[in-house]
Amino acid sequence: MASISFRNINKFYEASQAVADFNLEIADGEFVVLVGPSGCGKTTSLRMLAGLEQPTGGRIYLGGQDITDVPSKSRALAMVFQSYALYPHMTVAENISFALTLQKVPKSEIARQVQQAAALLGIDHLLSRKPRALSGGQRQRVAVARAIIRNPQAFLFDEPLSNLDAKLRHSARVEIRKLQQNLGTTTVYVTHDQIEAMTMADRIVVMEGGRIRQVGTPMELYRNPNSKFVASFLGSPPTNFIDGECVHENGSARFVAESMEIPLNPMTASGPVTVGIRPEHITPVKTASDQIRISGGVRFVEALGAETLVDLDLGVAPAASRTVTARLAGQHNLAAGTKLEIGFSPRDMMLFDAQGNAVSGAFC
Ligand code: ATP
């Protein structure tokens, strides 16, 4: 087990910059998830840690040791790839034990450790099979068992669940998290799936365009995103945004989007701004004593059983931001075209300036 530091890491592929000014301190035993849209530099960052790519600038430390120039095979790290990268001609047992065989560990000791790792992952009945005779979920477990057996200082995961169906993804993420908590091994996990990030991470690193946009616990990022980008990336369905203006008059300030007006802290700067409200923070008015009330025309309803997603046209704000999604608990019999009165509380609202940066304390 060990801490990990990325210090001033930059990575260029010829003229294009894949990772820029990447600085991150990961504590011993921490589970950190790198998340962001395709091409934001997650995999490149992980591959530099693994030693599969060389940074153009900056240093990487593992357990306080500078490993930037240490070859990949000499770094005490174990990586689980999206493809699992199992050897097709080897059995499950041979795949799991491969690293120990190379290290010339005695056969009886290898057998003991393979049995232990396989039992931990619930695949001890599959040891004599070849990878082609395994399901996707079983292959994924073999890949994790192969990582565990090396007893690494850190685990690196690159989208390990993306080949699994939704149900299996859920159980696999619970299993990986439990296993990591039991072993206490520092883990860096790459995904573009915000649900994996929210449910697995001690801390999430949100990346965009090669740069870190925000680092924090899942709840810090959910409650206090520092930008429209982070607010839109975490949460499902995504945050609703309503474009408007901050207008000052007689010493007070308000958000104005056509007929919609919301009081703002007088310290808020005038000009174009955007309000953010999460779908789960919108409620039908009759069930809550919200301060902000508005009615909208129902456009589309998705009944999911436990909850109902309703797209509403508020008839305010520019066309691009006048439809909001409300995530209402339970079942609601709402026909398209009917009017629905909704409400939301200022304490749940977010405000962003014209550059997309969060404005703190904007709502009174
Ligand atoms: P994804 O979720 O799609 O895997 P990512 O966030 O992991 O994306 P990276 O794979 O790290 O993104 O890529 C970051 C940027 O670097 C992208 O613009 C990508 O095209 C570029 N890139 C990655 N590898 C190479 C390479 N070997 N040569 C040139 N450009 C590369």
Side-chain angles (χ1 to χ4, degrees), residues 13-253:
Y13 290 108
E14 296 178 358
S16 87
Q17 189 160 18
V19 176
D21 303 328
F22 191 95
N23 281 287
L24 183 65
E25 299 291 324
I26 300 173
D28 187 12
E30 203 176 12
F31 194 118
V32 166
V33 176
L34 308 185
V35 71
S38 186
C40 71
K42 310 178 291 290
T43 296
T44 304
S45 304
L46 195 72
R47 287 174 62 83
M48 288 191 284
L49 174 57
L52 302 170
E53 297 283 352
Q54 193 60 20
T56 313
R59 312 300 296 174
I60 299 175
Y61 297 81
L62 177 67
Q65 302 283 318
D66 185 342
I67 57 163
T68 321
D69 302 317
V70 173
S72 178
K73 63 175 173 20
S74 309
R75 299 184 187 191
L77 301 167
M79 186 149 169
V80 177
F81 296 90
Q82 181 175 4
S83 62
Y84 310 141
L86 301 179
Y87 298 109
H89 58 286
M90 292 185 187
T91 63
V92 167
E94 287 162 351
N95 265 285
I96 295 174
S97 64
F98 188 65
L100 301 187
T101 309
L102 285 187
Q103 289 165 19
K104 303 210 171 5
V105 174
K107 278 205 172 110
S108 58
E109 179 57 18
I110 291 180
R112 191 188 67 76
Q113 290 197 32
V114 167
Q115 189 57 41
Q116 195 179 27
L120 206 58
L121 273 300
I123 50 170
D124 36 351
H125 58 299
L126 303 172
L127 287 172
S128 57
R129 287 207 199 160
K130 297 270 175 68
R132 67 171 174 277
L134 301 177
S135 69
Q138 290 165 340
R139 282 179 208 172
Q140 187 262 334
R141 287 175 199 206
V142 175
V144 175
R146 187 175 57 178
I148 286 173
I149 205 164
R150 296 181 54 194
N151 196 19
Q153 287 191 292
F155 292 130
L156 315 187
F157 288 97
D158 189 3
E159 306 245 9
L161 308 184
S162 56
N163 294 324
L164 306 184
D165 65 39
K167 201 171 161 198
L168 216 49
R169 281 174 87 111
H170 174 255
S171 55
R173 65 175 189 251
V174 172
E175 267 176 32
I176 290 181
R177 188 60 176 123
K178 273 194 196 153
L179 193 68
Q180 188 271 345
Q181 279 170 342
N182 288 342
L183 299 171
T185 310
T186 313
T187 298
V188 187
Y189 187 106
V190 161
T191 182
H192 63 270
D193 182 328
Q194 57 95 19
I195 295 180
E196 273 172 36
M198 290 295 288
T199 55
M200 298 176 89
D202 289 320
R203 273 190 312 152
I204 298 175
V205 178
V206 182
M207 295 182 68
E208 186 195 18
R211 290 180 187 276
I212 294 180
R213 291 295 170 198
Q214 194 171 1
V215 182
T217 66
M219 280 310 125
E220 278 165 1
L221 300 198
Y222 176 82
R223 292 203 182 111
N224 294 310
N226 65 5
S227 61
K228 219 175 135 182
F229 175 77
V230 175
S232 66
F233 197 78
L234 297 177
S236 174
T239 300
N240 298 297
F241 296 108
I242 304 169
D243 295 332
E245 294 269 330
C246 171
V247 176
H248 282 255
E249 210 173 55
N250 302 329
S252 65

Side-chain angles (χ1 to χ4, degrees), residues 257-313:
E258 296 190 15
S259 60
M260 183 182 192
E261 296 205 358
I262 303 170
L264 289 176
N265 184 327
M267 302 301 283
T268 313
S270 306
V273 286
T274 300
V275 159
I277 180 81
R278 294 192 184 275
E280 54 273 37
H281 292 145
I282 298 177
T283 53
V285 158
K286 61 178 184 296
T287 63
S289 57
D290 297 278
Q291 286 128 324
I292 315 294
R293 294 173 177 216
I294 189 164
S295 77
V298 174
R299 295 186 61 175
F300 192 68
V301 178
E302 284 178 282
L304 304 176
E307 61 190 22
T308 307
L309 304 181
V310 186
D311 285 354
L312 290 166
D313 186 345

